[in-house]
């Protein structure tokens, strides 16, 4: 609609990995109804929006039931050429109706949690020489204050909630959890700094470097597990993006803890990616990924190579090789061919995949025929390739 949307779906999952424990199987949504409203903008500059959701979660062994949740917000953005100041107030509300609850736990828990944030940024500019061309360099300091009071949510089920991966962008989020089963308490200030180099002739961003850290005025208490946080500050998160040539670009990100515990490492996470992308859809990705992790399941050190290479105007070769340096194992390999013309496209792909270093893995051959305007038949190979080959776009 005009400024709003409504999603209704029935969603179930079939897990082909028989080693998954019954309690770890995903929840079905039978049904999910999600209403989202775009911000209403008033002449004063005030913006009001939000969303509401009704879901019935079904599970073979875990607690299941209904959840009704709302999340309205109001903000008053003040944006200028030299920066912005955005105060925002949010409200998180949810009510559950559960079955098969353990004795002593409420079958109808609920929460009502307000939240306030203030986001401020300044932009300073100057003209510089960038490899022989005139460019504009910016310095952009940013402060983001977030206050969300603590409310005990330990009795609430965990239907669709996970903790967000820590990165530079997550430093400025209102909630450190996805989903609606946990609303993280916060009394914290994020300090961030970004510098950009932008070509004046074309407006292309040549270089971007960002650094940031969260300072905690109170230790966060709401957690998914039994772990607790007692640090006065987060790790330092950083990102770098560079446009080396018209076709070659590089990206890097890291997470560095300046004061880890005795058994931890300073470098908690690192990632580097080099991408070649030409105008004729030639695409090559080379990446290195490292995460110290909190357990053996979340620790990894991988190299990732992927490509899409056209042979003429009708044939494309695609492939990926994900290799674990930590376990000296190939975790995923993909090789395939795409053939198509104006009104149809045929994809044939072979894949070998391991979900853990100890497993034997499984090998599959997938075929998809796509007819323009009529949909496709067979495996959704285009979705698999889009997830596996960064930058891949179906023709």
């Amino acid at each position: 609609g005009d400024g709003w949307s409504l999603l209704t779906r029935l969603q179930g999952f079939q897990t082909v990995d028989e080693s998954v424990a019954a309690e770890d199987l995903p929840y079905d949504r039978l049904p999910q109804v999600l209403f989202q409203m775009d911000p209403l903008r008033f002449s004063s500059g005030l913006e009001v929006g939000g969303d509401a959701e009704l879901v019935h979660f079904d599970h073979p062994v875990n607690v299941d039931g209904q959840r009704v949740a709302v999340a309205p917000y109001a903000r008053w953005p003040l944006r200028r050429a030299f920066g912005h100041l955005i105060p925002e107030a949010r409200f998180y509300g949810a009510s559950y109706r559960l079955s098969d609850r353990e004795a002593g736990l409420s079958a109808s828990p609920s929460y009502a949690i307000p939240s306030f944030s203030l986001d401020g940024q300044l932009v300073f500019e100057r003209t510089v020489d960038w490899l022989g061309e005139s460019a504009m360099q910016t310095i952009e300091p940013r402060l983001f204050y977030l206050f969300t009071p603590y409310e005990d949510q330990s009795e609430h089920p965990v239907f669709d909630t996970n903790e967000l991966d820590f990165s530079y962008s997550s430093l400025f989020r209102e909630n450190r959890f996805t989903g609606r089963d946990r609303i993280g308490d916060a009394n914290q200030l994020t300090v961030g700094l970004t510098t950009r180099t932008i070509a004046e002739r074309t407006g292309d961003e040549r270089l971007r470097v960002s650094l940031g850290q969260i300072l905690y005025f109170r230790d966060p208490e709401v957690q998914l597990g039994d772990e607790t946080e007692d640090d006065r500050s987060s790790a330092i998160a950083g990102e770098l993006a560079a446009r080396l040539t018209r076709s070659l670009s590089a990206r890097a990100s890291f997470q560095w803890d300046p004061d880890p515990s005795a058994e931890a490492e300073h470098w908690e996470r690192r990632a580097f990616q080099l991408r070649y992308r030409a105008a004729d859809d030639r695409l090559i990705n080379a990446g290195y990924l490292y995460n110290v992790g909190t357990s053996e399941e979340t620790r990894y050190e991988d190299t990732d190579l992927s490509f899409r290479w056209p042979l003429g105007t009708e044939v494309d070769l695609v492939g990926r090789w994900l290799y674990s340096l930590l376990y000296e194992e190939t975790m995923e390999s993909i090789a395939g061919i795409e053939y198509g013309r104006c009104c149809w496209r045929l994809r044939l792909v072979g894949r070998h995949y391991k979900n853990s270093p100890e497993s034997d893995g499984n090998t599959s051959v997938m075929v998809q025929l796509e007819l323009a305007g009529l949909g496709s038949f067979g495996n959704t190979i285009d979705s698999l390739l889009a997830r596996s080959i960064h930058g891949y776009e179906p023709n």
Side-chain angles (χ1 to χ4, degrees):
D2 185 11
W4 61 273
S5 65
L6 182 68
L7 166 71
T8 305
R9 66 180 172 187
L10 304 173
Q11 186 178 41
F13 299 91
Q14 180 183 15
T15 306
V16 297
D17 187 354
E18 297 181 355
S19 65
V20 176
E23 59 271 16
D24 294 330
L25 294 173
Y27 276 90
D28 294 336
R29 295 181 175 96
L30 304 171
Q32 176 192 22
V33 181
L34 175 62
F35 173 82
Q36 294 179 305
M37 183 178 70
D38 296 338
L40 297 176
R41 296 177 173 86
F42 299 91
S43 58
S44 62
L46 182 68
E47 298 180 357
V48 178
D51 56 65
E53 184 185 42
L54 167 64
V55 194
H56 179 84
F57 292 97
D58 186 70
H59 198 276
V61 296
N62 293 343
V63 59
D64 52 23
Q66 294 181 359
R67 184 188 68 201
V68 179
V70 295
Y73 64 85
R75 63 189 177 209
W76 192 9
L78 306 172
R79 295 186 175 93
R80 301 292 186 270
F82 55 82
H84 68 247
L85 183 66
I86 306 176
E88 180 173 315
R90 286 180 172 268
F91 175 79
Y92 301 99
S95 178
Y96 295 83
R97 182 179 296 176
L98 307 174
S99 58
D100 301 325
R101 280 294 254 174
E102 297 179 15
L105 297 180
S106 172
S108 55
S110 62
Y111 64 73
I113 305 174
S115 180
F116 172 78
S117 65
L118 183 62
D119 186 2
Q121 184 179 39
L122 292 174
V123 180
F124 301 92
E125 301 175 354
R126 68 170 184 170
T127 301
V128 297
D129 180 83
W130 174 260
L131 301 178
E133 66 175 333
S134 179
M136 180 180 66
Q137 184 185 48
T138 70
I139 299 292
E140 306 170 28
R142 184 178 179 184
L143 296 177
F144 177 76
Y145 175 72
L146 175 64
F147 178 78
T148 306
Y150 169 75
E151 182 169 327
D152 185 11
Q153 301 160 56
S154 57
E155 290 193 2
H156 297 180
V158 180
F159 290 140
D160 61 357
T161 293
N162 285 295
E163 191 163 6
L164 285 166
D165 283 342
F166 186 79
S167 65
Y168 181 79
S169 61
S170 71
L171 300 178
F172 303 94
R173 293 181 180 269
E174 290 84 4
N175 189 17
R176 60 181 180 273
F177 300 101
T178 64
R180 304 174 191 265
D181 299 315
R182 293 293 186 272
I183 305 300
D185 59 311
N187 186 4
Q188 63 192 44
L189 177 68
T190 297
V191 181
L193 180 67
T194 296
T195 177
R196 307 172 196 265
T197 301
I198 302 170
E200 289 191 342
R201 184 175 60 86
T202 63
D204 293 337
E205 184 180 85
R206 301 299 191 187
L207 177 68
R208 183 180 73 252
V209 181
S210 299
L211 290 173
Q213 186 179 34
I214 301 176
L215 307 178
Y216 300 107
F217 302 118
R218 189 190 66 214
D219 295 335
E221 297 183 62
V222 177
Q223 304 294 337
L224 277 178
D226 298 328
E227 70 277 5
T228 58
E229 300 286 344
D230 56 2
D231 294 332
R232 304 310 298 174
S233 62
S234 72
I236 297 174
E239 291 182 344
L240 180 148
R243 185 77 175 268
L244 304 177
T245 68
R246 182 180 298 273
S247 301
L248 189 63
S249 60
R251 298 180 65 90
S253 62
F254 71 87
Q255 178 179 329
W256 188 77
D257 192 342
D259 186 26
S261 58
E263 67 277 4
E265 300 181 22
H266 282 286
W267 290 102
E268 298 178 346
R269 181 173 295 183
R270 299 188 296 269
F272 175 78
Q273 184 186 63
L274 194 65
R275 176 191 291 185
Y276 172 81
R277 184 166 195 167
D280 60 355
D281 287 338
R282 286 178 295 168
L283 173 66
I284 301 176
N285 297 308
Y288 169 79
L289 309 168
Y290 172 82
N291 182 26
V292 66
T294 56
S295 64
E296 289 297 325
E297 290 76 16
T298 58
R299 181 182 176 89
Y300 58 79
E301 185 176 11
D302 300 333
T303 59
D304 192 354
L305 298 174
S306 60
F307 69 90
R308 178 183 192 172
W309 201 264
L311 301 177
T313 59
E314 298 179 349
V315 179
D316 291 348
L317 299 180
V318 294
R320 185 194 191 194
W321 180 33
L322 179 64
Y323 181 78
S324 171
L325 298 173
L326 186 63
Y327 298 104
E328 298 182 348
E329 293 278 355
T330 295
M331 303 305 295
E332 182 178 31
S333 58
I334 294 175
I337 187 170
E338 298 180 309
Y339 179 81
R341 297 185 177 181
C342 60
C343 54
W344 62 273
R345 194 163 191 87
L346 179 66
R347 298 182 177 94
L348 174 64
V349 171
R351 183 193 189 207
H352 181 75
Y353 175 75
K354 301 178 70 170
N355 58 13
S356 68
E358 299 80 17
S359 69
D360 295 331
N362 62 74
T363 301
S364 58
V365 177
M366 295 168 279
V367 179
Q368 181 185 31
L369 175 62
E370 184 175 352
L371 305 177
L374 296 177
S376 60
F377 300 92
N379 302 89
T380 54
I381 299 177
D382 52 342
S383 299
L384 169 66
L385 296 178
R387 292 193 304 267
S388 303
I389 304 175
H390 194 51
Y392 172 91
E393 297 178 358
N395 288 332

